[in-house]
Amino acid sequence: MTDDPPGGGMTARELIALCESRINVLSRTRQAFEHSGVPEHVGGLIDDLRGTASGWDTAVSRPPEGDPVALRVGARTVRDGVPGFAAVADALEAYALALGSGQARHAEGVSHLRGAGRRAAGLAEVGAEPERTEAASRAAVAVLDVACAGYAACQDAYEAVRDAERALYAALSYVRAGHPGHRSDRLVPPNVSDPQVTGAT
């Protein structure tokens, strides 16, 4: 996962932190709905929810970048053609697996967030009757649960790819130490940035 993303310019570390922050905010909003039965308060919370929900998916719309198929091909090439680099080939294969599953997990998360945003826009108005207020609160809590699940999926995806990238560079560092004259930097896929250089964590 490159640490120099297009568009928003957020690093993997920042994307993970953003997901965690959004989950915390949504969880606090959920608690506010659960502890308030006052129609005016619930109505205000729903209005706030409608105002923010349309952008839930925007900040995390960037998936983990890379081509899992190309990485697997690269792993086979390293395994077959570079003696002593089996650990790097293993790490490349693990990275390819993490990237493929991470991209799928991220797509699932974004889908949840977009669905939650649509549901938030359609939340009913709160009436004076306690039954309507309670029903509106339950509907809003259900929306928040879906949104939290969406951010959690995106966070899982970013973390899994980051961890696999770290393991890849650990393997490269180990092999480089044993082959001081070898151009092992050529084994790094172009979409992967070295955490030691970029500061990715």
Side-chain angles (χ1 to χ4, degrees):
M1 182 174 181
T2 176
D3 206 41
D4 184 22
M10 298 185 73
T11 65
R13 180 192 311 168
E14 290 168 339
L15 287 165
I16 291 166
L18 173 66
C19 291
E20 186 173 352
S21 174
R22 293 286 177 90
I23 290 170
N24 289 336
V25 170
L26 293 174
S27 296
R28 287 195 296 270
T29 303
R30 189 186 195 283
Q31 291 175 352
F33 274 109
E34 290 179 329
H35 291 93
S36 177
V38 179
E40 292 79 6
H41 187 211
V42 172
L45 289 171
I46 287 178
D47 287 342
D48 291 342
L49 202 58
R50 290 196 193 101
T52 59
S54 61
W56 279 344
D57 66 300
T58 304
V60 293
S61 60
R62 170 195 161 219
E65 296 173 336
D67 184 346
V69 175
L71 286 167
R72 284 193 288 270
V73 171
R76 287 195 296 271
T77 300
V78 172
R79 191 179 303 281
D80 296 340
V82 187
F85 278 67
V88 174
D90 290 344
L92 274 170
E93 288 178 349
Y95 183 77
L97 180 63
L99 182 60
S101 61
Q103 289 171 341
R105 181 78 168 133
H106 176 271
E108 176 188 347
V110 171
S111 177
H112 280 318
L113 289 167
R114 289 174 179 165
R118 289 191 294 270
R119 289 173 62 180
L123 287 171
E125 297 292 335
V126 177
E129 302 85 353
E131 294 81 5
R132 288 187 62 182
T133 300
E134 183 179 352
S137 289
R138 285 200 304 268
V141 165
V143 168
L144 289 165
D145 285 344
V146 174
C148 283
Y151 280 119
C154 291
Q155 182 177 352
D156 288 346
Y158 293 135
E159 288 177 339
V161 175
R162 177 204 60 185
D163 292 346
E165 185 175 319
R166 284 177 171 175
L168 170 59
Y169 276 98
L172 280 168
S173 296
Y174 177 80
V175 172
R176 284 168 178 166
H179 299 75
H182 199 284
R183 290 303 304 273
S184 55
D185 54 307
R186 293 177 181 171
L187 303 177
V188 182
N191 61 294
V192 178
S193 56
D194 192 331
Q196 295 178 347
V197 176
T198 63
T201 61

